[in-house]
Amino acid sequence: MNKVNASTEKVQEEEKREHVHFIGIGGYGMSAIARVMLDMGYHVTGSDVARKELTEKLQKKGAHVFIGHQKENISGADLVVYSTDIPKENVELTAAQEYSIPLIHRSKMLARLLNEKKGVAVAGAHGKTTTTSMISLVMEKTGADPTYIIGGEIMDIGSNARAGKGDFVVAEADESDGTFLEYFPQIAVVTNIEPDHLENYGGDFENLKKAYRQFLSQVKDEGTAIVCIDDNYVQDMLAEQKERISLITYGIKQDADYTAENIEPGDRTISFDVVYKGARLGRMKLSVPGMHNVYNALGTTAVCIEAGLSFEEIAVAITSFRGAKRRFQVIGEVNDVLVVDDYAHHPTEIEATLEAARSTNRRIVAIFQPQRYTRTFFLLDAFSRAFTEADEVMITDIYSPANDPEIEGVSAERLVELIKENSNANASYAASKEIVLEHLLKVVKPGDLVITMGAGDIWKVAEQLVEELGEK
């Protein structure tokens, strides 16, 4: 074949590929779907307000990423994907409507991928990113070759998504805006249920619980629901499950199908026996700490055995799991000061993260950046009781998007007052990340564990602290 014919065929091939444009492509959820579609051969473009690590990775994979939103960015697109975070007045969104380009929400795009194959959808207030990551890594390490779409990067792999050739599609099912009801999985996992994101459920926890019930009712015929029976709200749903699907439970406190015994915490590790219906399957050791990760591993074991893997395969593969990005992520260790960052932004997550930190037997300095005035309003009392395990607590100003306005009486200062009353007298308020960093450089000493927590940009403090400690 001569060069002219080869070039012509390449152009024709480019023209045949469907062009999908992502508004806000740099977010974890959006970038994950974009990555999978690149792997599947789609022509992918996208836009975001700033260049990010994830956009850089997408560009290296072949995506064209525009920095800034302009109507010209969607030129030639066959389909435009957007997320709940994109405002209705976004110039690319309105341009797509003007040019009659089909628009599809991120969740519907993910549903296309998940519903067509053997979907594994992981839902829950906490633990879904880590559990989804564990399942994906175990399946990949054991040759199942899954497609996976995760709201955080798997540290071992350095990616949050991949299009595999196997039968399974593993993904997080996001309850925050109700979009998890787009999914009809083969296997559904519910880690726990808590009153969060109530601003999207009319402020009523009952509406959120109804949504979870509907999610489980959408499991395909002869599919499987895998749930943590230790959660009281999950227990309430079990009586309503239909016989057309099988139900598998996991937990530690309750009489579960899968449970853990002889649990031994270590320095950034934890090991335990996995027991199935009274029979010991074997010993499992995790390279991440905390009881919450025992739960995540039990859920992962149940899913992977249901998918046809042996316990022995799972136990070997899961040992290599080093966590998901921003989930008890070790940023650095300088002169015996361990600096960790975690996405914990809910009271239960904070408690679990600090419990894991306590297992290191270090003095714990915890910095928390609340996210959203609405969440802080609904959970103010629970937040105030979450810091018992820390030796020192610093609270920064509330990090909130423009569509979440201030609420009278809800502030970081008020939260500090309540923490002092309810869980930790050694709590203080810091108006900025700069003040936090300045204080840490004065007080941290060898043997300390400094942990930043929150869904905003508090991770920058952890990175700056490691850098400045290294310079000192």
Side-chain angles (χ1 to χ4, degrees):
M1 184 184 297
N2 62 42
K3 290 184 178 180
V4 173
N5 288 341
S7 177
T8 301
E9 284 195 8
K10 185 176 181 181
V11 170
Q12 289 173 341
E13 185 182 326
E14 290 284 333
E15 289 175 349
K16 287 177 186 175
R17 292 195 300 162
E18 187 175 7
H19 176 181
V20 183
H21 181 82
F22 290 80
I23 306 174
I25 196 170
Y28 274 113
M30 292 285 270
S31 66
I33 298 172
R35 170 72 180 257
V36 166
M37 299 197 77
L38 277 169
D39 287 347
M40 293 171 67
Y42 287 83
H43 175 45
V44 172
T45 62
S47 60
D48 215 307
V49 293
R51 200 169 299 282
K52 305 173 183 176
E53 183 181 353
L54 288 173
T55 60
E56 296 283 352
K57 288 183 177 181
L58 287 171
Q59 284 188 300
K60 288 178 181 176
K61 288 286 293 182
H64 185 94
V65 179
F66 302 95
I67 302 305
H69 298 302
Q70 303 289 336
K71 65 188 300 184
E72 294 80 10
N73 294 349
I74 68 167
S75 178
D78 299 302
L79 183 68
V80 173
V81 183
Y82 67 98
S83 70
T84 304
D85 292 334
I86 302 301
K88 293 179 180 179
E89 64 273 14
N90 177 277
V91 64
E92 293 178 17
L93 201 64
T94 56
Q97 294 167 335
E98 179 185 340
Y99 300 146
S100 299
I101 300 173
L103 279 163
I104 185 170
H105 189 274
R106 177 191 65 82
S107 61
K108 291 184 182 293
M109 193 75 250
L110 175 54
R112 283 188 184 183
L113 302 170
L114 187 140
N115 295 345
E116 289 176 3
K117 300 184 86 174
K118 291 182 178 179
V120 179
V122 182
H126 325 295
K128 56 181 175 285
T129 296
T130 301
T131 304
T132 309
S133 299
M134 276 187 179
I135 294 167
S136 301
L137 179 129
V138 169
M139 284 189 172
E140 183 161 299
K141 294 278 186 183
T142 53
D145 198 16
T147 295
Y148 55 84
I149 299 163
I150 306 170
E153 290 186 59
I154 306 175
M155 297 301 294
D156 313 69
I157 298 171
S159 176
N160 61 337
R162 177 179 176 272
K165 294 182 172 63
D167 294 333
F168 289 94
V169 177
V170 186
E172 288 184 53
D174 185 8
E175 86 290 353
S176 66
D177 55 3
T179 54
F180 69 150
L181 299 181
E182 298 287 344
Y183 312 135
F184 293 81
Q186 182 72 26
I187 300 175
V189 180
V190 177
T191 60
N192 41 58
I193 301 172
E194 293 223 17
D196 198 6
H197 307 289
L198 295 184
E199 68 275 11
N200 295 322
Y201 290 89
D204 189 345
F205 188 27
E206 288 302 317
N207 292 335
L208 177 59
K209 288 188 280 187
K210 286 177 185 175
Y212 272 103
R213 285 194 286 271
Q214 183 177 335
F215 170 69
L216 286 183
S217 76
Q218 293 177 181
V219 173
K220 291 176 180 176
D221 286 346
E222 300 182 1
T224 305
I226 296 173
V227 302
C228 180
I229 198 173
D230 285 2
D231 185 271
N232 292 331
Y233 299 120
V234 171
Q235 285 184 49
D236 292 342
M237 293 194 302
L238 299 188
E240 302 176 29
Q241 291 313 299
K242 305 295 187 292
E243 292 182 0
R244 64 178 182 80
I245 65 172
S246 63
L247 176 69
I248 295 173
T249 62
Y250 66 94
I252 298 171
K253 301 173 186 174
Q254 301 290 338
D255 184 17
D257 294 324
Y258 286 89
T259 191
E261 296 179 354
N262 303 318
I263 300 169
E264 295 182 6
D267 182 9
R268 285 171 267 173
T269 66
I270 194 162
S271 58
F272 49 94
D273 292 333
V274 177
V275 178
Y276 176 65
K277 293 187 175 180
R280 182 183 180 276
L281 297 182
R283 192 77 178 162
M284 182 172 280
K285 182 176 182 179
L286 305 181
S287 302
V288 287
M291 287 296 296
H292 61 296
N293 279 317
V294 176
Y295 282 102
N296 296 334
L298 288 173
T300 295
T301 300
V303 169
C304 291
I305 287 179
E306 191 68 13
L309 301 178
S310 70
F311 175 77
E312 291 73 21
E313 289 179 296
I314 297 164
V316 170
I318 207 167
T319 303
S320 64
F321 180 75
R322 304 285 172 182
K325 193 169 185 178
R326 297 217 64 210
R327 271 68 179 181
F328 210 87
Q329 180 186 354
V330 175
I331 304 301
E333 188 169 0
V334 184
N335 298 327
D336 199 28
V337 175
L338 181 63
V339 182
V340 173
D341 176 61
D342 197 279
Y343 192 69
H345 58 285
H346 186 282
T348 305
E349 293 171 345
I350 292 168
E351 289 175 346
T353 300
L354 292 178
E355 180 188 28
R358 179 57 64 197
S359 69
T360 65
N361 295 317
R362 291 169 174 263
R363 188 177 81 99
I364 301 168
V365 182
I367 301 95
F368 176 57
Q369 180 187 53
Q371 190 219 23
R372 292 186 175 273
Y373 286 95
T374 46
R375 176 182 288 119
T376 310
F377 170 75
F378 283 119
L379 301 174
L380 190 60
D381 182 69
F383 273 125
S384 75
R385 301 178 188 278
F387 293 90
T388 305
E389 292 293 339
D391 295 288
E392 180 179 349
V393 179
M394 297 185 75
I395 306 294
T396 69
D397 276 336
I398 297 171
Y399 182 95
S400 203
N403 63 358
D404 185 65
E406 293 185 22
I407 298 173
E408 186 176 352
V410 177
S411 66
E413 294 98 319
R414 178 57 181 154
L415 177 55
V416 168
E417 291 174 5
L418 291 174
I419 291 171
K420 286 181 175 180
E421 291 176 17
N422 296 331
S423 67
N424 199 312
N426 194 17
S428 62
Y429 164 69
S432 69
K433 293 189 291 294
E434 290 74 21
I435 292 174
V436 173
L437 183 61
E438 183 180 344
H439 175 75
L440 291 175
L441 289 169
K442 290 178 182 176
V443 301
V444 295
K445 55 184 182 293
D448 284 357
L449 188 159
V450 178
I451 183 162
T452 54
M453 296 180 291
D457 61 355
I458 195 63
W459 55 269
K460 294 178 180 178
V461 170
E463 293 193 346
Q464 289 170 342
L465 178 62
V466 168
E467 184 179 336
E468 299 214 16
L469 286 174
E471 290 176 358
K472 288 175 68 176

